[in-house]
Amino acid sequence: MISLHEFLLLRNSLPIVDVRSPLEFQAGHIPGAVNIPLLNNEERVAVGTDYKQKGQAEAIKTGFRLVGPRLGQIISDAENISGGKELLVHCWRGGMRSNNFCQFIGMARIKSNSLTGGYKVYRQFALASFKKPLQIILLNGFTGSGKSEILRALKLQDEQVLDLEKLANHKGSAFGGLLMPAQPTTEQFQNDLFEEIVKLDLTKRIWVEDESIAIGKIFLPEDFWITMSTAAIVQMEVSKDIRVQRLVGEYGKANPDEFLEAMGKVVKKLGGQHFKAAKEKLLQGDMASTIEILLTYYDKAYHNSTEKKKNRISFSLSWDGKNAEHFAKELIDLKI
């Protein structure tokens, strides 16, 4: 058995095996871990039912009976992953599943160490880490300003960046899921965010795009959101014409039916007349006019949001949308 501290050090050089069921793994896991379930989803339910109804001894018997026929495959999978190295193993609480797994593969001479406290202690540590003070600077700007592009340019110039939308597989608006992979669970997003923060120097500034507490279907950790809510803001000023062009380039290849479905999510806020006009332009293939109408709503919403936090805006900089590297340098030179 090893502590979480030891685990976090060793994982840089040793493979991690998560022996929980596939559904547990899909809900959230330690990045880089490989799932070799000791019990599959149905078997885990069967063992749990026996534990409640018949007691621990009968549940253990059921577990061994179910795992037995798959032991050969489990050991083979462990061999493939280990590549001759020791394995770091965990289950939910660092209990019976991980201990049994280590014993099974040990009989095949595969060395392993299980994590004391299991995935649960990792999650507790990850969530607690969001309470740490972070030197966040928020990058704000109306929809289509190119905030994500500027964050990438800042990162290329060795600035510390947390790209929340990249981690969330979503661009934040009602249309943010278009042309994007499926979103992770909130739990997995938070794990991934924790792993990004671990790499940073917390005594130095960290650039983050100004977001709401929800990005698509995922939610930011509450403590991280509280830190964002008090952070200094740099406002990007980009003309509407440039923003329309950028958004056409971004969403022009989207499926019209899917784009129309996304428009339906904001029909009440957009207003029936504006929605109808935007729909007509979309069906005519006029994406620029469609976007321009939609920005009527988005600009108003963004303006109202920014007004509530205008006392935190440290600087406002204009950008013509052309040279992200140059604009990033301007941001870096700001005395914040």
Side-chain angles (χ1 to χ4, degrees):
M1 302 284 285
I2 57 174
S3 68
L4 179 63
H5 176 71
E6 293 172 301
F7 175 89
L8 293 176
L9 291 175
L10 290 170
R11 67 173 181 169
N12 294 321
S13 57
L14 298 178
I16 307 170
V17 174
D18 183 333
V19 303
R20 297 176 302 150
S21 67
L23 280 177
E24 290 174 286
F25 185 82
Q26 290 164 16
H29 57 267
I30 298 174
V34 178
N35 189 210
I36 305 180
L38 192 64
L39 297 169
N40 64 32
N41 300 327
E42 295 76 17
E43 290 167 348
R44 179 170 173 259
V45 171
V47 170
T49 300
D50 277 359
Y51 183 87
K52 291 178 182 178
Q53 297 179 354
K54 301 175 183 178
Q56 185 182 44
E58 287 301 315
I60 291 172
K61 290 179 185 179
T62 299
F64 281 127
R65 175 176 57 80
L66 294 171
V67 172
R70 292 189 289 103
L71 265 181
Q73 186 60 53
I74 288 172
I75 291 171
S76 178
D77 290 343
E79 285 176 333
N80 291 335
I81 291 165
S82 72
K85 294 183 177 181
E86 180 180 333
L87 291 177
L88 303 177
V89 179
H90 74 84
C91 57
W92 167 237
R93 285 191 296 253
M96 193 171 294
R97 283 185 289 179
S98 58
N99 290 332
N100 285 337
F101 183 92
C102 289
Q103 289 178 11
F104 292 149
I105 66 172
M107 290 186 289
R109 301 185 184 279
I110 303 172
K111 294 182 179 180
S112 62
N113 251 313
S114 62
L115 171 61
T116 301
Y119 176 70
K120 184 178 181 180
V121 77
Y122 170 88
R123 276 290 291 169
Q124 290 171 339
F125 184 75
L127 293 175
S129 75
F130 296 123
K131 296 180 183 293
K132 293 180 179 180
L134 301 173
Q135 310 304 314
I136 286 177
I137 300 174
L138 294 180
L139 196 58
N140 196 340
F142 282 51
T143 302
S145 294
K147 299 181 288 293
S148 294
E149 182 179 348
I150 297 305
L151 286 180
R152 291 191 293 270
L154 286 165
K155 191 169 185 178
L156 287 173
Q157 296 183 50
D158 297 324
E159 287 289 300
Q160 298 193 126
V161 169
L162 288 174
D163 192 338
L164 302 180
E165 293 186 355
K166 182 178 179 181
L167 291 174
N169 287 340
H170 200 281
K171 297 172 183 175
S173 70
F175 306 90
L178 295 174
L179 304 173
M180 296 290 284
Q183 284 196 272
T185 63
T186 290
E187 184 173 315
Q188 188 59 50
F189 169 86
Q190 293 175 350
N191 290 350
D192 294 338
L193 178 59
F194 161 70
E195 296 290 348
E196 289 298 310
I197 292 174
V198 164
K199 303 172 188 175
L200 304 178
D201 181 345
L202 302 190
T203 66
K204 297 180 179 180
R205 65 187 178 190
I206 304 167
W207 296 90
V208 180
E209 182 173 341
D210 198 0
E211 303 279 0
S212 66
I213 195 169
I215 306 177
K217 70 176 184 180
I218 69 96
F219 286 87
L220 300 177
E222 184 176 358
D223 291 309
F224 183 81
W225 167 246
I226 290 171
T227 300
M228 285 181 62
S229 300
T230 59
I233 296 172
V234 174
Q235 179 80 27
M236 290 177 60
E237 301 288 353
V238 182
S239 72
K240 188 173 183 179
D241 287 346
I242 291 171
R243 291 187 290 117
V244 169
Q245 292 172 14
R246 295 182 64 86
L247 290 169
V248 169
E250 197 168 333
Y251 293 111
K253 296 180 181 179
N255 182 297
D257 292 335
E258 293 177 359
F259 195 91
L260 184 59
E261 183 180 351
M263 279 175 51
K265 298 175 184 177
V266 295
V267 61
K268 290 183 180 179
K269 295 178 180 179
L270 185 64
Q273 184 177 355
H274 287 143
F275 176 81
K276 183 179 178 181
K279 180 179 178 180
E280 288 178 358
K281 294 297 182 181
L282 177 67
L283 296 177
Q284 292 169 10
D286 186 352
M287 182 59 82
S289 296
T290 304
I291 294 293
E292 191 166 2
I293 295 168
L294 291 174
L295 285 183
T296 303
Y297 153 64
Y298 274 104
D299 284 2
K300 181 179 178 181
Y302 224 103
H303 175 75
N304 292 339
S305 173
T306 302
E307 274 294 302
K308 296 175 184 177
K309 46 196 173 188
K310 61 183 180 181
N311 61 314
R312 292 194 283 126
I313 298 176
S314 301
F315 294 94
S316 292
L317 275 77
S318 296
W319 185 42
D320 61 6
K322 293 179 180 179
N323 191 326
E325 180 183 356
H326 178 74
F327 187 74
K329 286 179 180 177
E330 288 188 56
L331 294 177
I332 292 169
D333 290 338
L334 295 176
K335 305 300 181 184
I336 305 177

